[in-house]
Amino acid sequence: MVAVNYVGEELWSFFNAPWEKRVDLAKQLMDIAEQLTNNDFDFALYLLDVSFDNFAVGPRDGKVIVVDAENVVVADKRLIKQNKPENYDVWYESKFEECDKEACLSFSKDMLCSRVTVDHNYYAICQNLLSRYAMWRGSSGGLLHDPPPHIAKDGQLEALLDECANPKKRYGRFQAAKELREYLTQLSGTAR
């Protein structure tokens, strides 16, 4: 027997929603990445299967919900700090890999479980859901595709998404994720 609960439409159904809605959803996704990575419990939950059908949007409150969390690595940061494996305190950057398939994601479970500071969730959300590298059901460009001309013109959004998905600078994804969250918050505020 399997019990199923309808929590809302899958994220994919918002791929062509109005820009303001997509910005709000993108901000929520980046907030989820932050909450799963850094929280008061000192446990990091790393999503290993990040795709448009593993998230839903609540019909009443419009909140993004993780609906398929069967592929998650749980890392106990306190235990990592206590056991001090080699390089435990060196920030770990997930390696970008160009891919022409849907929901591509490379990761090392050993690294996720032996480092205190890891950028995996930001990488997964940016690469598979938000950036130009995101592909799903024959569409590409991610949730933030086709921004309005005044936003596309200054290039800030594209630069942040590119650095978050495929960083050019050392530890660039960490900074890009932080700045992207701030930028999306700013865009959400001006859209209302």
Side-chain angles (χ1 to χ4, degrees), residues 157-185:
L157 178 62
E158 184 178 358
L160 289 172
L161 287 170
D162 279 354
E163 191 67 14
C164 185
N166 184 12
K168 303 293 183 248
K169 296 180 281 197
R170 184 164 190 200
Y171 303 133
R173 184 177 291 123
F174 291 97
Q175 185 62 35
K178 179 181 181 292
E179 290 178 25
L180 181 59
R181 286 181 67 217
E182 292 167 0
Y183 186 69
L184 292 171
T185 300

Side-chain angles (χ1 to χ4, degrees), residues 61-178:
D61 60 6
K63 297 290 181 209
V64 176
I65 305 157
V66 179
V67 293
D68 183 355
E70 69 177 315
N71 295 304
V72 173
V73 166
V74 179
D76 183 341
K77 291 183 178 187
R78 273 187 237 156
L79 196 59
I80 294 169
K81 290 175 197 169
Q82 180 183 321
N83 292 343
K84 296 183 167 93
E86 186 179 353
N87 294 322
Y88 78 99
D89 55 350
V90 176
W91 289 12
Y92 179 71
E93 292 181 287
S94 298
K95 185 178 181 321
F96 171 82
E97 288 186 29
E98 188 113 24
C99 173
D100 60 355
K101 297 184 188 111
E102 297 178 344
C104 290
L105 207 53
S106 64
F107 56 87
S108 163
K109 287 182 184 177
D110 290 340
M111 289 300 189
L112 297 178
C113 294
S114 64
R115 301 287 181 98
V116 175
T117 307
V118 177
D119 68 357
H120 176 81
N121 286 327
Y122 311 120
Y123 161 61
I125 297 291
C126 286
Q127 162 131 348
N128 284 357
L129 300 177
L130 303 182
S131 75
R132 64 188 169 103
Y133 301 104
M135 293 181 63
W136 195 249
R137 296 187 184 166
S139 294
S140 61
L143 197 58
L144 295 173
H145 65 88
D146 300 320
H150 69 282
I151 292 170
K153 186 171 74 174
D154 75 4
Q156 184 178 2
L157 178 62
E158 184 178 358
L160 289 172
L161 287 170
D162 279 354
E163 191 67 14
C164 185
N166 184 12
K168 303 293 183 248
K169 296 180 281 197
R170 184 164 190 200
Y171 303 133
R173 184 177 291 123
F174 291 97
Q175 185 62 35
K178 179 181 181 292

Side-chain angles (χ1 to χ4, degrees), residues 23 27 31 179-192:
V23 165
K27 176 173 180 339
D31 288 347
E179 290 178 25
L180 181 59
R181 286 181 67 217
E182 292 167 0
Y183 186 69
L184 292 171
T185 300
Q186 184 184 355
L187 287 178
S188 291
T190 59
R192 291 186 178 134

